[in-house]
Amino acid sequence: MDIFGIKALLICALIFIPFEHLLAERPQKIFRKGWAVDLIYVLFNGFILKAVIVMMVAGALGVAAILVPQSITQAVSGQPIWLQVAEIILITDIGVYWAHRAFHKIPALWKFHAIHHGIEELDWLGAFHSHPIDIIVTKAVSLTPVFFLGFSKASIAIFSVIYFWHTMLVHSNVRLRFGPLKWLIASPQFHRWHHANQREAYDKNFAGQLPFLDVMFGTYNVTGDKVPEKYGVDDPVPSTYFGQAGYPLLPRRKRSNRVASSTET
């Protein structure tokens, strides 16, 4: 069993690397700064996440069997697959939005999320560059309602594939515009501005897949075709995997400029 997802990683590389070369938003090397650390994140985070989701599913299903009437779970799982997938996308992205926003607003949580924002050159591989605690909390918030409500295994599997590929797409270094669909489906341009290390981009574009959530809650950043000047954070994030894993647990010498700015507005 490919518990580290190496086969999936190779398939992703074969697809995204050529596209990032042909449709590059900005000139960037394949083996750009930090790619080796991101590779470690892919392998270890993937393993950790699989284990956590298995435990999460077992726990959620056990509690749901006690608290949620069987009539509800049967009604939910009995819907057409396409409708279930659409509902899962909406439910999970509401969870992602608010969990993501909390990671930006609460200084203690930002220390974990700063690891993801520490990426200075965005590409598909950077989608996996997140602290395990960041991933676990976000997945717990966004997926628990899905398991509670009893969505079918097929619909959850289809959603998982869509989410996996879309996450890599929005982090990829490709110049791809979605036109009028930009309000409905998150594009690389939309998420690129979430990663921009510029004051006007701070605390904007929190949604993972559905930008209209940011429109509804007043956090959408309209940028047109502009490209951010730079990515990353001003926080002193270490460059190594283990340094980054332990970084949130270290005492902070000074308050993050990003969190300080967001709490003042």
Side-chain angles (χ1 to χ4, degrees), residues 205-222:
N205 299 0
F206 291 117
Q209 295 182 281
L210 306 174
F212 66 79
L213 293 176
D214 284 283
V215 176
M216 289 173 57
F217 299 118
T219 52
Y220 186 84
N221 185 25
V222 181

Side-chain angles (χ1 to χ4, degrees), residues 93-254:
D93 216 40
I94 290 174
V96 166
Y97 177 90
W98 287 108
H100 196 175
R101 191 163 176 171
F103 270 101
H104 275 251
K105 293 292 186 179
I106 302 173
L109 293 180
W110 168 253
K111 293 175 68 175
F112 291 96
H113 194 57
I115 302 302
H116 183 60
H117 276 271
I119 306 169
E120 296 180 2
E121 295 181 272
L122 282 183
D123 64 10
W124 67 277
L125 194 58
F128 302 95
H129 186 115
S130 295
H131 195 282
I133 298 299
D134 188 347
I135 296 177
I136 291 171
V137 171
T138 301
K139 292 296 184 185
V141 171
S142 61
L143 289 176
T144 298
V146 173
F147 298 131
F148 257 69
L149 292 172
F151 285 93
S152 67
K153 293 181 181 179
S155 63
I156 294 175
I158 293 172
F159 160 76
S160 299
V161 172
I162 293 173
Y163 184 85
F164 178 74
W165 287 98
H166 187 235
T167 299
M168 287 186 288
L169 176 64
V170 297
H171 286 88
S172 64
N173 180 36
V174 296
R175 187 175 182 82
L176 186 63
R177 304 293 183 257
F178 285 11
L181 291 178
K182 68 180 181 180
W183 307 103
L184 180 62
I185 305 173
S187 67
Q189 175 75 353
F190 171 84
H191 197 68
R192 193 171 291 128
W193 274 95
H194 177 73
H195 275 271
N197 190 13
Q198 298 169 219
R199 182 63 190 88
E200 66 270 27
Y202 290 176
D203 302 329
K204 302 292 184 181
N205 299 0
F206 291 117
Q209 295 182 281
L210 306 174
F212 66 79
L213 293 176
D214 284 283
V215 176
M216 289 173 57
F217 299 118
T219 52
Y220 186 84
N221 185 25
V222 181
T223 59
D225 290 333
K226 290 171 56 181
V227 178
E229 296 175 6
K230 62 177 180 176
Y231 304 116
V233 291
D234 296 325
D235 304 51
V237 177
S239 59
T240 66
Y241 175 81
F242 290 107
Q244 292 173 12
Y247 170 74
L249 306 178
L250 300 176
R252 181 175 289 270
R253 294 182 179 179
K254 70 172 185 176

Side-chain angles (χ1 to χ4, degrees), residues 11-52:
I11 293 172
C12 295
L14 289 173
I15 293 173
F16 278 97
I17 290 177
F19 272 103
E20 289 189 328
H21 177 72
L22 295 172
L23 303 173
E25 178 67 81
R26 62 173 68 196
Q28 190 168 289
K29 297 178 180 179
I30 295 176
F31 298 109
R32 45 77 178 167
K33 180 181 178 181
W35 75 271
V37 173
D38 288 351
L39 191 60
I40 297 176
Y41 273 105
V42 174
L43 300 177
F44 284 94
N45 278 9
F47 174 73
I48 292 172
L49 186 57
K50 288 174 184 176
V52 168

